[in-house]
Amino acid sequence: MKIEKISKKYIPMTETAFYILLSLTIPRHGYGIIKHVEELTVGRLVLGSGTIYGTLTKMQRDEIITVYADEKRKTIYEITDVGKELMRHEITRLKELHVNALMYEGEFK
Amino acid sequence: MKIEKISKKYIPMTETAFYILLSLTIPRHGYGIIKHVEELTVGRLVLGSGTIYGTLTKMQRDEIITVYADEKRKTIYEITDVGKELMRHEITRLKELHVNALMYEGEFK
DNA sequence: ACTGTATATATCACGACGTGATATAGTCAT
DNA sequence: ATGACTATATCACGTCGTGATATATACAGT
């Protein structure tokens, strides 16, 4: 699938998708992602099993991640080049969001 | 409603909700929000009519926004104190996201 | 007067998403 | 052998944003 179609589907990216793709810069399996995201967010974000396996299947279908290795009780994924391009777009959007957040922060005191 | 319940419901906040609340630091009506958000995001984000009026009704029900004035063809809203507290929480989350984005950005080149 | 564009709100069906429950099963320490 | 942890899969549920459709006013150009 082309990057334009993928972008339309995945941007704005859900927090779940964002942290899964961040995690997959290193090949990991589902459960490993859950633990890594938990660590990255200091316990704030604990992905449900339905969320992780559902999302991984969807992302694999859209070819933004791919199977890196298939061990007996672990399917290990990694991000693809299309996935990386998607993340560059998403990070650009996050920067815009961050700039606006800082600009208006004082209004919420 | 208490801030804990509101936070559970609204965080992570959708991009739509975030920009609507940013806009409502100044009292505005629905159509005015659409135009303001379009401006803030340099044309990137154009909220659909279903999105804006649906979300405004929901937010009013949850008391994170309130009716500021009711003119003949315009209902003008503004953010409440609970809404502001919610935004402080959301901005904290956005900063975390931003930090992680910058930390991993190099991996997507 | 007619036409087109912009302003302004409301409602509905649709597809997509995250959650939590349920189920299943292997591993490892006590 | 019991419990805790690792690991994956599936399903119903409620929520969300979108785009279409509908309605109506206002204003400028021709």
Side-chain angles (χ1 to χ4, degrees), chain B residues 3-96:
Chain B
I3 186 69
E4 287 84 11
K5 274 204 172 181
I6 292 288
S7 294
K8 200 152 199 180
K9 190 168 178 178
Y10 282 91
I11 292 181
M13 198 175 283
T14 60
E15 184 175 51
T16 298
F18 178 77
Y19 274 111
I20 289 176
L21 291 177
L22 264 201
S23 276
L24 289 180
T25 48
I26 290 173
R28 290 181 212 269
H29 62 289
Y31 192 78
I33 296 171
I34 294 174
K35 293 300 155 190
H36 182 238
V37 170
E38 203 175 338
E39 195 187 304
L40 265 180
T41 61
V42 202
R44 185 182 61 80
L45 183 59
V46 183
L47 302 175
S49 64
T51 303
I52 196 85
Y53 298 107
T55 305
L56 286 174
T57 301
K58 200 196 77 177
M59 284 180 166
Q60 200 192 338
R61 204 178 52 226
D62 290 333
E63 293 175 339
I64 65 177
I65 64 172
T66 189
V67 174
Y68 173 81
D70 218 335
E71 295 174 17
K72 27 183 158 25
R73 286 179 59 243
K74 289 178 189 176
T75 306
I76 300 171
Y77 299 92
E78 65 173 346
I79 193 168
T80 63
D81 285 343
V82 176
K84 287 179 186 177
E85 197 174 348
L86 182 66
M87 280 299 272
R88 290 198 297 274
H89 288 307
E90 176 62 7
I91 289 171
T92 300
R93 188 189 69 92
L94 277 178
K95 285 177 178 173
E96 177 205 286

Side-chain angles (χ1 to χ4, degrees), chain A residues 76-87:
Chain A
I76 300 172
Y77 299 92
E78 66 174 345
I79 192 168
T80 63
D81 284 344
V82 176
K84 287 180 184 175
E85 196 175 349
L86 182 65
M87 281 300 272

Side-chain angles (χ1 to χ4, degrees), chain A residues 46-63:
Chain A
V46 182
L47 301 175
S49 64
T51 304
I52 197 85
Y53 297 107
T55 306
L56 286 174
T57 301
K58 199 196 77 178
M59 284 179 165
Q60 200 193 338
R61 204 178 53 225
D62 291 334
E63 293 174 341

Side-chain angles (χ1 to χ4, degrees), chain A residues 13-25:
Chain A
M13 199 175 284
T14 61
E15 184 176 51
T16 297
F18 178 75
Y19 274 112
I20 289 176
L21 291 178
L22 265 200
S23 277
L24 289 180
T25 49

